[in-house]
């Protein structure tokens, strides 16, 4: 490999998994405040395939303005190769993980052999887990953390006029919908860590997996709608969100909360009538929060489950796996 190029997965147009091209790309240049990471593993996340498709479900004015070609992806784990002169706290050879520059569309550039990342987006990788598991943690873990534990920033909320506020979880009943997925399986564990009674909703094949992660109750949505079974819940985290999320209003007690991870909720009047708070937020890069999550990962208090791994060159197959659904944990690309 010559010194100024690397292998990466780039997009030259929006579309299905077939538009992912494994090819040479320029090595990123280190800017002030940044760390150059030699990537060992890359976590894949829903925003990756939404961006690959051009966020076609969003209204046109919200669709991303990106310039082609660009490199997809945001979650990495790897080894520090170089450090800008103004960066403290990281040295060459450190193992690090992070969600890079999210939510800047198309600028994270993680599906690659090297990534230049703001130091503030990174944390030292927990010694107790490998790069594959570390790469699976950032976006899913930070989503759970920022929805359930601490927002960690004061940026304007693009989805609602007021800031998202997590609610105290100790002694509360928390229902996690989509509990076996990336965000879901980590949210189950974070809620348990905070002292909640957790109801996990997923398809039946994930029951033993979710009970091992600490779920107190399990609802197989393929057998019965969760909203017919669960009642008097304090908080619903709907990791699927979208237009059907309003069905969970009737599972909640008065004064409860519904946190949909994706847009589409449209029953504001009913929520107000039932005294339910509905709130969502946009996950944002945050190195210090990842360092806190890293301590839980190191201790084994929280673990990342890996659904499957694919070499970087096979990113297309990884996206096809994601489209297949019924994911258990995270899909990760291996680079080194």
């Amino acid at each position: 490999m010559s010194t100024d190029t690397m292998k990466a997965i780039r997009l030259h147009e929006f579309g299905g998994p077939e538009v992912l091209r494994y090819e040479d790309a320029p090595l990123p240049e280190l800017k002030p405040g940044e760390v150059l990471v030699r990537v060992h593993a890359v976590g894949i996340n829903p925003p990756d395939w939404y961006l690959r498709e051009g966020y076609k479900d969003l209204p046109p004015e919200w669709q991303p303005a990106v310039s082609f070609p660009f490199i997809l992806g945001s979650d990495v784990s790897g080894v520090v190769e170089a450090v800008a002169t103004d960066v403290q706290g990281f040295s060459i050879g450190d193992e690090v993980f992070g969600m890079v520059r999210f939510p800047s569309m198309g600028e994270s550039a993680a599906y690659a052999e090297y990534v230049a990342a703001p130091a503030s987006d990174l944390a030292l990788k927990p010694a107790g887990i490998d790069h594959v598991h570390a790469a699976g943690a950032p976006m899913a873990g930070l989503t759970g953390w920022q929805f359930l534990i601490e927002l960690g920033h004061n940026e304007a909320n693009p989805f609602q006029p007021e800031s998202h506020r997590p609610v105290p979880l100790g002694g509360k009943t928390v229902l996690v919908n989509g509990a076996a997925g990336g965000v879901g399986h980590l949210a189950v564990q974070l809620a348990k860590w905070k002292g909640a009674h957790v109801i996990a909703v997923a398809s039946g094949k994930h029951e033993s997996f979710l009970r091992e992660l600490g779920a107190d109750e399990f609802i197989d949505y393929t057998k019965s709608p969760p909203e017919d079974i669960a009642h008097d819940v304090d908080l619903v985290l709907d990791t699927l969100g979208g237009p059907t999320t309003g069905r969970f209003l009737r599972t909640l007690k008065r004064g409860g909360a519904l946190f949909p991870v994706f847009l589409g909720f449209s029953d504001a009047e009913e929520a107000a009538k039932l005294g339910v708070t509905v709130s969502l937020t946009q996950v944002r890069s945050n190195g210090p929060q990842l360092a806190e999550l890293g301590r839980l990962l190191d201790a084994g208090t929280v673990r990342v489950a890996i659904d499957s791994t694919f070499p970087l060159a096979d990113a297309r197959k990884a996206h096809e796996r994601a489209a297949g659904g019924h994911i258990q944990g995270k899909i990760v690309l291996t680079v080194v």
Side-chain angles (χ1 to χ4, degrees):
M1 181 174 108
S2 75
T3 49
D4 51 355
T5 65
M6 63 174 178
K7 289 291 187 203
I9 295 286
R10 295 206 297 185
L11 283 183
H12 295 260
E13 62 189 318
F14 294 130
E18 71 285 347
V19 301
L20 300 175
R21 295 198 356 209
Y22 181 67
E23 60 191 21
D24 287 330
L27 206 60
E29 285 174 31
L30 205 55
K31 299 189 183 77
E34 291 184 346
V35 170
L36 184 68
V37 179
R38 181 164 191 227
V39 179
H40 285 236
V42 182
I44 84 167
N45 295 287
D48 300 357
W49 51 90
Y50 301 146
L51 182 55
R52 188 201 73 219
E53 295 169 340
Y55 273 89
K56 61 182 189 321
D57 295 335
L58 287 185
E61 67 275 13
W62 283 39
Q63 286 171 4
V66 292
S67 48
F68 294 106
F70 67 87
I71 298 170
L72 212 53
S74 64
D75 279 8
V76 297
S77 183
V79 177
V80 174
E81 184 95 351
V83 179
T85 52
D86 61 338
V87 168
Q88 308 287 310
F90 294 105
S91 314
I92 292 169
D94 284 347
E95 297 190 322
V96 293
F97 73 134
M99 176 172 78
V100 181
R101 285 193 198 89
F102 196 83
S104 302
M105 290 305 160
E107 291 174 27
S108 303
Y111 287 17
E113 291 179 320
Y114 291 88
V115 171
S120 57
D121 292 356
L122 300 174
L124 293 172
K125 178 184 79 62
I129 63 172
D130 61 19
H131 287 292
V132 167
H133 288 79
M139 181 176 287
L142 286 172
T143 300
W145 198 274
Q146 290 171 15
F147 268 84
L148 296 177
I149 294 170
E150 185 205 9
L151 187 58
H153 64 80
N154 45 23
E155 305 278 340
N157 191 329
F159 308 126
Q160 62 198 35
E162 66 286 342
S163 205
H164 174 77
R165 280 198 300 278
V167 295
L169 299 178
K172 299 285 178 57
T173 298
V174 176
L175 181 147
V176 179
N177 186 41
V183 173
H185 87 289
L186 292 170
V188 163
Q189 297 174 78
L190 290 173
K192 281 302 293 179
W193 171 62
K194 283 295 185 186
H197 177 90
V198 177
I199 304 170
V201 177
S203 62
K205 68 172 200 152
H206 299 304
E207 179 170 5
S208 61
F209 166 67
L210 287 161
R211 289 194 182 273
E212 276 169 38
L213 295 183
D216 299 287
E217 296 179 52
F218 177 82
I219 298 173
D220 179 354
Y221 73 84
T222 66
K223 294 215 170 89
S224 37
E227 66 274 20
D228 291 351
I229 296 179
H231 301 289
D232 287 328
V233 172
D234 295 291
L235 170 67
V236 171
L237 179 74
D238 184 359
T239 72
L240 307 173
T244 62
T245 196
R247 68 199 170 112
F248 286 105
L249 288 173
R250 56 197 179 95
T251 68
L252 288 155
K253 56 175 72 156
R254 196 162 186 88
L258 169 59
F259 293 169
V261 174
F262 294 102
L263 292 169
F265 176 78
S266 56
D267 305 295
E269 258 172 66
E270 197 193 338
K273 213 160 46 198
L274 296 169
V276 167
T277 302
V278 180
S279 177
L280 77 162
T281 183
Q282 166 77 279
V283 66
R284 303 189 85 90
S285 300
N286 190 315
Q289 284 182 336
L290 262 188
E292 288 187 67
L293 177 63
R295 286 191 273 281
L296 298 179
L297 292 167
D298 226 358
T301 307
V302 171
R303 64 187 179 90
V304 177
I306 301 300
D307 175 89
S308 47
T309 62
F310 297 85
L312 179 66
D314 288 342
R316 176 178 165 176
K317 285 186 192 148
H319 277 233
E320 286 164 354
R321 166 70 195 114
H326 296 283
I327 310 295
Q328 185 168 288
K330 295 288 304 181
I331 302 169
V332 173
L333 302 172
T334 53
V335 185
V336 173

